[in-house]
Amino acid sequence: MMSKKKPYCECLNTVKPVRDTLEVINGKWKLSIIISVGVGNSRFTEIQESIPGLTPKVLSKELKELEQHQLIKRVITNDYPVKISYSLQPYADTLTPIIYAMKDWGLNHKKKIFQEVNPIKV
């Protein structure tokens, strides 16, 4: 006799991978950093200046974590002075559809909420 999967098992099969994803990209800055590097900001100061409110200490910490997760690559050029730049790893491309889906959802959500708060009267 085949038993039906319990609803909580189905829920966990979705919740656990979503939680794993959020552990990598969660926080106020990680996706912003990925987007900034993705559009061409490769130097530390460029990244920091492109994201208002991001402090050097936090940027440094977040870049290290993104590097550990193989999303960002740190490149050291042994010139004088030494140059450090950042680029997206090919693996970061797997986040592109997620980022665009979140962008679309955010834009649509803002429209929906704005329309409900300020309905147009005809």
Side-chain angles (χ1 to χ4, degrees):
M1 186 182 248
M2 194 188 286
S3 65
K4 207 173 179 183
K5 274 193 171 183
K6 303 229 185 230
Y8 68 86
C9 289
E10 286 298 318
C11 179
L12 285 177
N13 288 339
T14 300
V15 169
K16 286 181 179 180
V18 168
R19 192 175 357 173
D20 292 342
T21 302
L22 289 175
E23 284 181 25
V24 175
I25 63 172
N26 197 19
K28 188 174 180 180
W29 307 111
K30 284 195 176 86
L31 282 176
S32 297
I33 293 167
I34 290 168
I35 292 166
S36 178
V37 174
V39 299
N41 295 309
S42 62
R43 303 294 304 272
F44 189 92
T45 53
E46 292 173 341
I47 299 166
Q48 183 187 353
E49 289 171 1
S50 73
I51 306 169
L54 179 57
T55 65
K57 181 179 178 181
V58 172
L59 176 56
S60 179
K61 175 187 157 293
E62 299 287 46
L63 284 168
K64 285 176 186 168
E65 288 179 16
L66 290 168
E67 191 176 4
Q68 289 172 343
H69 288 287
Q70 301 176 9
L71 295 168
I72 298 275
K73 182 178 183 179
R74 184 175 189 243
V75 179
I76 302 170
T77 306
N78 289 323
D79 288 340
Y80 185 79
V82 172
K83 284 185 178 180
I84 298 173
S85 61
Y86 299 89
S87 61
L88 292 183
Q89 293 276 46
Y91 182 53
D93 290 341
T94 61
L95 289 172
T96 300
I98 296 167
I99 291 169
Y100 280 108
M102 291 173 73
K103 175 187 171 189
D104 291 344
W105 188 89
L107 291 170
N108 290 330
H109 179 68
K110 194 171 189 174
K111 284 179 193 173
K112 175 182 175 38
I113 297 302
F114 183 74
Q115 287 172 356
E116 287 181 9
V117 172
N118 297 314
I120 298 171
K121 293 180 181 168
V122 184

